[in-house]
Amino acid sequence: QLHLAESGGGLVQPGESLRLSCAPSEFTLDRFSIAWFRQAPGKEREGVSCISASDGIEHYADSVKGRFTISRDNAKNTVYLEMNILKPEDTAVYYCAFGLFSYYCSDRKPYEYEYWGQGTQVTVSS
């Protein structure tokens, strides 16, 4: 069973930055499509960003485009979400997720990802 360990959440002020990390328990990044989701209190889990295994193209939700960057470091076996110019509406629990499918990560629903991290809280408040 693949386990995903997340880190990097915290409390920041509007306009500041955070970098989230997600490390799988096995050396396996190339096998999976990778995504970051978030869930705010009382809201559904929403996709933030993803990379499909087939083409490595990055996809972003409109609400974070230009501010967030997803990346993967195969040598370190770690996936990152760099978050800049954070806003109060970015406050949520953030999850990394790995899926065995190869294509169209931006069209995928949460249930299509087989493996999930435990979540890390990001709070943006002044």
Side-chain angles (χ1 to χ4, degrees):
Q1 179 77 9
L2 182 68
H3 295 283
L4 306 180
E6 298 176 24
S7 59
L11 171 63
V12 296
Q13 294 188 347
E16 294 186 339
S17 300
L18 278 175
R19 187 176 75 165
L20 306 182
S21 300
C22 174
S25 56
E26 302 170 10
F27 277 87
T28 190
L29 289 186
D30 290 344
R31 293 174 50 202
F32 292 90
S33 293
I34 299 165
W36 287 94
F37 287 82
R38 67 185 180 186
Q39 189 165 18
K43 295 188 176 181
E44 291 187 356
R45 192 168 296 189
E46 64 170 348
V48 174
S49 182
C50 67
I51 301 176
S52 291
S54 58
D55 55 22
I57 295 175
E58 302 164 17
H59 300 268
Y60 299 95
D62 288 342
S63 58
V64 305
K65 202 169 291 184
R67 300 188 298 122
F68 289 15
T69 303
I70 188 172
S71 63
R72 58 187 179 188
D73 187 328
N74 289 343
K76 295 183 177 180
N77 200 44
T78 302
V79 178
Y80 301 100
L81 184 68
E82 184 75 34
M83 304 185 295
N84 298 314
I85 317 175
L86 282 161
K87 304 176 181 180
E89 50 265 41
D90 295 319
T91 296
V93 178
Y94 284 70
Y95 301 88
C96 64
F98 281 25
L100 285 167
F101 53 84
S102 298
Y103 299 92
Y104 310 123
C105 66
S106 59
D107 295 334
R108 304 288 181 165
K109 303 299 183 184
Y111 69 84
E112 297 185 74
Y113 287 83
E114 287 85 359
Y115 303 102
W116 289 82
Q118 79 282 4
T120 185
Q121 177 70 46
V122 172
T123 303
V124 185
S125 176
S126 55

PDB file of all heavy atoms in Angstrom, residues 23-44:
ATOM      1  N   ALA A  23       5.588  13.308  -0.168  1.00  0.00           N
ATOM      2  CA  ALA A  23       6.576  12.279  -0.447  1.00  0.00           C
ATOM      3  C   ALA A  23       5.929  10.910  -0.371  1.00  0.00           C
ATOM      4  O   ALA A  23       5.422  10.521   0.696  1.00  0.00           O
ATOM      5  CB  ALA A  23       7.718  12.363   0.557  1.00  0.00           C
ATOM      6  N   PRO A  24       5.936  10.151  -1.453  1.00  0.00           N
ATOM      7  CA  PRO A  24       5.387   8.794  -1.422  1.00  0.00           C
ATOM      8  C   PRO A  24       6.356   7.836  -0.740  1.00  0.00           C
ATOM      9  O   PRO A  24       7.556   8.091  -0.673  1.00  0.00           O
ATOM     10  CB  PRO A  24       5.204   8.450  -2.893  1.00  0.00           C
ATOM     11  CG  PRO A  24       6.224   9.278  -3.602  1.00  0.00           C
ATOM     12  CD  PRO A  24       6.372  10.528  -2.811  1.00  0.00           C
ATOM     13  N   SER A  25       5.813   6.718  -0.255  1.00  0.00           N
ATOM     14  CA  SER A  25       6.619   5.740   0.478  1.00  0.00           C
ATOM     15  C   SER A  25       7.484   4.882  -0.439  1.00  0.00           C
ATOM     16  O   SER A  25       8.355   4.147   0.037  1.00  0.00           O
ATOM     17  CB  SER A  25       5.712   4.840   1.323  1.00  0.00           C
ATOM     18  OG  SER A  25       4.725   4.218   0.512  1.00  0.00           O
ATOM     19  N   GLU A  26       7.227   4.976  -1.774  1.00  0.00           N
ATOM     20  CA  GLU A  26       8.022   4.232  -2.736  1.00  0.00           C
ATOM     21  C   GLU A  26       8.520   5.179  -3.826  1.00  0.00           C
ATOM     22  O   GLU A  26       7.906   6.218  -4.062  1.00  0.00           O
ATOM     23  CB  GLU A  26       7.181   3.129  -3.382  1.00  0.00           C
ATOM     24  CG  GLU A  26       6.592   2.137  -2.407  1.00  0.00           C
ATOM     25  CD  GLU A  26       5.590   1.219  -3.081  1.00  0.00           C
ATOM     26  OE1 GLU A  26       5.510   1.234  -4.325  1.00  0.00           O
ATOM     27  OE2 GLU A  26       4.886   0.493  -2.371  1.00  0.00           O
ATOM     28  N   PHE A  27       9.615   4.789  -4.508  1.00  0.00           N
ATOM     29  CA  PHE A  27      10.091   5.579  -5.637  1.00  0.00           C
ATOM     30  C   PHE A  27       9.199   5.278  -6.827  1.00  0.00           C
ATOM     31  O   PHE A  27       9.337   4.264  -7.481  1.00  0.00           O
ATOM     32  CB  PHE A  27      11.545   5.249  -5.939  1.00  0.00           C
ATOM     33  CG  PHE A  27      12.500   5.999  -5.068  1.00  0.00           C
ATOM     34  CD1 PHE A  27      12.860   5.502  -3.831  1.00  0.00           C
ATOM     35  CD2 PHE A  27      12.999   7.223  -5.455  1.00  0.00           C
ATOM     36  CE1 PHE A  27      13.729   6.202  -3.004  1.00  0.00           C
ATOM     37  CE2 PHE A  27      13.858   7.944  -4.648  1.00  0.00           C
ATOM     38  CZ  PHE A  27      14.221   7.424  -3.415  1.00  0.00           C
ATOM     39  N   THR A  28       8.289   6.209  -7.113  1.00  0.00           N
ATOM     40  CA  THR A  28       7.215   5.828  -8.010  1.00  0.00           C
ATOM     41  C   THR A  28       6.594   6.990  -8.769  1.00  0.00           C
ATOM     42  O   THR A  28       5.568   6.837  -9.378  1.00  0.00           O
ATOM     43  CB  THR A  28       6.126   5.131  -7.181  1.00  0.00           C
ATOM     44  OG1 THR A  28       5.163   4.548  -8.023  1.00  0.00           O
ATOM     45  CG2 THR A  28       5.461   6.120  -6.232  1.00  0.00           C
ATOM     46  N   LEU A  29       7.214   8.174  -8.766  1.00  0.00           N
ATOM     47  CA  LEU A  29       6.538   9.355  -9.288  1.00  0.00           C
ATOM     48  C   LEU A  29       6.122   9.197 -10.739  1.00  0.00           C
ATOM     49  O   LEU A  29       5.046   9.643 -11.143  1.00  0.00           O
ATOM     50  CB  LEU A  29       7.428  10.582  -9.130  1.00  0.00           C
ATOM     51  CG  LEU A  29       7.631  11.111  -7.705  1.00  0.00           C
ATOM     52  CD1 LEU A  29       8.414  12.415  -7.740  1.00  0.00           C
ATOM     53  CD2 LEU A  29       6.305  11.308  -6.993  1.00  0.00           C
ATOM     54  N   ASP A  30       6.952   8.561 -11.557  1.00  0.00           N
ATOM     55  CA  ASP A  30       6.655   8.476 -12.982  1.00  0.00           C
ATOM     56  C   ASP A  30       5.444   7.609 -13.294  1.00  0.00           C
ATOM     57  O   ASP A  30       4.891   7.698 -14.390  1.00  0.00           O
ATOM     58  CB  ASP A  30       7.872   7.935 -13.739  1.00  0.00           C
ATOM     59  CG  ASP A  30       9.005   8.937 -13.770  1.00  0.00           C
ATOM     60  OD1 ASP A  30       8.732  10.133 -13.491  1.00  0.00           O
ATOM     61  OD2 ASP A  30      10.142   8.546 -14.075  1.00  0.00           O
ATOM     62  N   ARG A  31       5.033   6.768 -12.380  1.00  0.00           N
ATOM     63  CA  ARG A  31       3.946   5.834 -12.637  1.00  0.00           C
ATOM     64  C   ARG A  31       2.574   6.472 -12.485  1.00  0.00           C
ATOM     65  O   ARG A  31       1.578   5.902 -12.934  1.00  0.00           O
ATOM     66  CB  ARG A  31       4.034   4.663 -11.666  1.00  0.00           C
ATOM     67  CG  ARG A  31       5.227   3.755 -11.838  1.00  0.00           C
ATOM     68  CD  ARG A  31       5.259   2.738 -10.727  1.00  0.00           C
ATOM     69  NE  ARG A  31       3.978   2.067 -10.545  1.00  0.00           N
ATOM     70  CZ  ARG A  31       3.595   1.466  -9.431  1.00  0.00           C
ATOM     71  NH1 ARG A  31       4.391   1.456  -8.380  1.00  0.00           N
ATOM     72  NH2 ARG A  31       2.426   0.867  -9.345  1.00  0.00           N
ATOM     73  N   PHE A  32       2.529   7.606 -11.850  1.00  0.00           N
ATOM     74  CA  PHE A  32       1.238   8.154 -11.449  1.00  0.00           C
ATOM     75  C   PHE A  32       0.980   9.542 -12.013  1.00  0.00           C
ATOM     76  O   PHE A  32       1.907  10.315 -12.237  1.00  0.00           O
ATOM     77  CB  PHE A  32       1.169   8.275  -9.921  1.00  0.00           C
ATOM     78  CG  PHE A  32       1.144   6.966  -9.194  1.00  0.00           C
ATOM     79  CD1 PHE A  32       2.326   6.359  -8.804  1.00  0.00           C
ATOM     80  CD2 PHE A  32      -0.055   6.350  -8.897  1.00  0.00           C
ATOM     81  CE1 PHE A  32       2.309   5.161  -8.126  1.00  0.00           C
ATOM     82  CE2 PHE A  32      -0.081   5.153  -8.216  1.00  0.00           C
ATOM     83  CZ  PHE A  32       1.103   4.553  -7.828  1.00  0.00           C
ATOM     84  N   SER A  33      -0.271   9.838 -12.205  1.00  0.00           N
ATOM     85  CA  SER A  33      -0.698  11.217 -12.332  1.00  0.00           C
ATOM     86  C   SER A  33      -0.856  11.760 -10.910  1.00  0.00           C
ATOM     87  O   SER A  33      -1.298  11.047 -10.012  1.00  0.00           O
ATOM     88  CB  SER A  33      -2.027  11.306 -13.075  1.00  0.00           C
ATOM     89  OG  SER A  33      -1.856  10.896 -14.414  1.00  0.00           O
ATOM     90  N   ILE A  34      -0.492  13.024 -10.734  1.00  0.00           N
ATOM     91  CA  ILE A  34      -0.376  13.597  -9.399  1.00  0.00           C
ATOM     92  C   ILE A  34      -1.221  14.863  -9.315  1.00  0.00           C
ATOM     93  O   ILE A  34      -1.246  15.655 -10.252  1.00  0.00           O
ATOM     94  CB  ILE A  34       1.097  13.942  -9.112  1.00  0.00           C
ATOM     95  CG1 ILE A  34       1.951  12.671  -9.163  1.00  0.00           C
ATOM     96  CG2 ILE A  34       1.243  14.658  -7.779  1.00  0.00           C
ATOM     97  CD1 ILE A  34       3.426  12.935  -9.241  1.00  0.00           C
ATOM     98  N   ALA A  35      -1.886  15.024  -8.187  1.00  0.00           N
ATOM     99  CA  ALA A  35      -2.745  16.201  -8.030  1.00  0.00           C
ATOM    100  C   ALA A  35      -2.680  16.738  -6.609  1.00  0.00           C
ATOM    101  O   ALA A  35      -2.331  16.026  -5.665  1.00  0.00           O
ATOM    102  CB  ALA A  35      -4.187  15.843  -8.372  1.00  0.00           C
ATOM    103  N   TRP A  36      -3.031  18.004  -6.489  1.00  0.00           N
ATOM    104  CA  TRP A  36      -3.307  18.623  -5.209  1.00  0.00           C
ATOM    105  C   TRP A  36      -4.770  19.029  -5.195  1.00  0.00           C
ATOM    106  O   TRP A  36      -5.254  19.656  -6.141  1.00  0.00           O
ATOM    107  CB  TRP A  36      -2.429  19.852  -4.988  1.00  0.00           C
ATOM    108  CG  TRP A  36      -0.998  19.533  -4.702  1.00  0.00           C
ATOM    109  CD1 TRP A  36       0.021  19.467  -5.602  1.00  0.00           C
ATOM    110  CD2 TRP A  36      -0.413  19.248  -3.430  1.00  0.00           C
ATOM    111  NE1 TRP A  36       1.191  19.149  -4.978  1.00  0.00           N
ATOM    112  CE2 TRP A  36       0.958  19.019  -3.637  1.00  0.00           C
ATOM    113  CE3 TRP A  36      -0.925  19.180  -2.137  1.00  0.00           C
ATOM    114  CZ2 TRP A  36       1.829  18.711  -2.589  1.00  0.00           C
ATOM    115  CZ3 TRP A  36      -0.052  18.874  -1.098  1.00  0.00           C
ATOM    116  CH2 TRP A  36       1.309  18.649  -1.336  1.00  0.00           C
ATOM    117  N   PHE A  37      -5.449  18.664  -4.130  1.00  0.00           N
ATOM    118  CA  PHE A  37      -6.823  19.072  -3.877  1.00  0.00           C
ATOM    119  C   PHE A  37      -6.854  19.889  -2.590  1.00  0.00           C
ATOM    120  O   PHE A  37      -5.921  19.853  -1.797  1.00  0.00           O
ATOM    121  CB  PHE A  37      -7.733  17.848  -3.698  1.00  0.00           C
ATOM    122  CG  PHE A  37      -8.020  17.101  -4.965  1.00  0.00           C
ATOM    123  CD1 PHE A  37      -7.113  16.169  -5.469  1.00  0.00           C
ATOM    124  CD2 PHE A  37      -9.205  17.305  -5.658  1.00  0.00           C
ATOM    125  CE1 PHE A  37      -7.386  15.469  -6.642  1.00  0.00           C
ATOM    126  CE2 PHE A  37      -9.489  16.607  -6.828  1.00  0.00           C
ATOM    127  CZ  PHE A  37      -8.580  15.695  -7.307  1.00  0.00           C
ATOM    128  N   ARG A  38      -7.946  20.586  -2.387  1.00  0.00           N
ATOM    129  CA  ARG A  38      -8.152  21.268  -1.112  1.00  0.00           C
ATOM    130  C   ARG A  38      -9.615  21.210  -0.724  1.00  0.00           C
ATOM    131  O   ARG A  38     -10.506  21.074  -1.575  1.00  0.00           O
ATOM    132  CB  ARG A  38      -7.677  22.727  -1.170  1.00  0.00           C
ATOM    133  CG  ARG A  38      -8.480  23.625  -2.087  1.00  0.00           C
ATOM    134  CD  ARG A  38      -7.838  25.013  -2.162  1.00  0.00           C
ATOM    135  NE  ARG A  38      -8.572  25.925  -3.023  1.00  0.00           N
ATOM    136  CZ  ARG A  38      -8.156  27.136  -3.343  1.00  0.00           C
ATOM    137  NH1 ARG A  38      -6.976  27.603  -2.886  1.00  0.00           N
ATOM    138  NH2 ARG A  38      -8.885  27.913  -4.130  1.00  0.00           N
ATOM    139  N   GLN A  39      -9.854  21.318   0.572  1.00  0.00           N
ATOM    140  CA  GLN A  39     -11.226  21.298   1.065  1.00  0.00           C
ATOM    141  C   GLN A  39     -11.350  22.287   2.207  1.00  0.00           C
ATOM    142  O   GLN A  39     -10.682  22.154   3.244  1.00  0.00           O
ATOM    143  CB  GLN A  39     -11.622  19.896   1.525  1.00  0.00           C
ATOM    144  CG  GLN A  39     -13.094  19.769   1.854  1.00  0.00           C
ATOM    145  CD  GLN A  39     -13.538  18.318   1.953  1.00  0.00           C
ATOM    146  OE1 GLN A  39     -12.729  17.403   2.100  1.00  0.00           O
ATOM    147  NE2 GLN A  39     -14.841  18.101   1.841  1.00  0.00           N
ATOM    148  N   ALA A  40     -12.204  23.262   2.013  1.00  0.00           N
ATOM    149  CA  ALA A  40     -12.499  24.252   3.044  1.00  0.00           C
ATOM    150  C   ALA A  40     -13.713  23.798   3.848  1.00  0.00           C
ATOM    151  O   ALA A  40     -14.523  23.004   3.347  1.00  0.00           O
ATOM    152  CB  ALA A  40     -12.759  25.610   2.400  1.00  0.00           C
ATOM    153  N   PRO A  41     -13.881  24.274   5.080  1.00  0.00           N
ATOM    154  CA  PRO A  41     -15.026  23.861   5.898  1.00  0.00           C
ATOM    155  C   PRO A  41     -16.348  24.118   5.189  1.00  0.00           C
ATOM    156  O   PRO A  41     -16.576  25.216   4.666  1.00  0.00           O
ATOM    157  CB  PRO A  41     -14.888  24.730   7.150  1.00  0.00           C
ATOM    158  CG  PRO A  41     -13.436  25.034   7.234  1.00  0.00           C
ATOM    159  CD  PRO A  41     -12.975  25.158   5.816  1.00  0.00           C
ATOM    160  N   GLY A  42     -17.181  23.092   5.147  1.00  0.00           N
ATOM    161  CA  GLY A  42     -18.503  23.225   4.539  1.00  0.00           C
ATOM    162  C   GLY A  42     -18.525  23.203   3.032  1.00  0.00           C
ATOM    163  O   GLY A  42     -19.585  23.404   2.430  1.00  0.00           O
ATOM    164  N   LYS A  43     -17.373  22.963   2.408  1.00  0.00           N
ATOM    165  CA  LYS A  43     -17.302  22.951   0.946  1.00  0.00           C
ATOM    166  C   LYS A  43     -16.818  21.592   0.449  1.00  0.00           C
ATOM    167  O   LYS A  43     -16.212  20.821   1.188  1.00  0.00           O
ATOM    168  CB  LYS A  43     -16.370  24.054   0.454  1.00  0.00           C
ATOM    169  CG  LYS A  43     -16.868  25.458   0.753  1.00  0.00           C
ATOM    170  CD  LYS A  43     -16.003  26.501   0.075  1.00  0.00           C
ATOM    171  CE  LYS A  43     -16.548  27.903   0.298  1.00  0.00           C
ATOM    172  NZ  LYS A  43     -15.717  28.931  -0.391  1.00  0.00           N
ATOM    173  N   GLU A  44     -17.081  21.351  -0.837  1.00  0.00           N
ATOM    174  CA  GLU A  44     -16.613  20.116  -1.444  1.00  0.00           C
ATOM    175  C   GLU A  44     -15.110  20.188  -1.724  1.00  0.00           C
ATOM    176  O   GLU A  44     -14.548  21.274  -1.870  1.00  0.00           O
ATOM    177  CB  GLU A  44     -17.362  19.861  -2.747  1.00  0.00           C
ATOM    178  CG  GLU A  44     -18.831  19.525  -2.561  1.00  0.00           C
ATOM    179  CD  GLU A  44     -19.492  19.107  -3.857  1.00  0.00           C
ATOM    180  OE1 GLU A  44     -18.829  19.158  -4.909  1.00  0.00           O
ATOM    181  OE2 GLU A  44     -20.673  18.743  -3.826  1.00  0.00           O
TER     182      GLU A  44
END
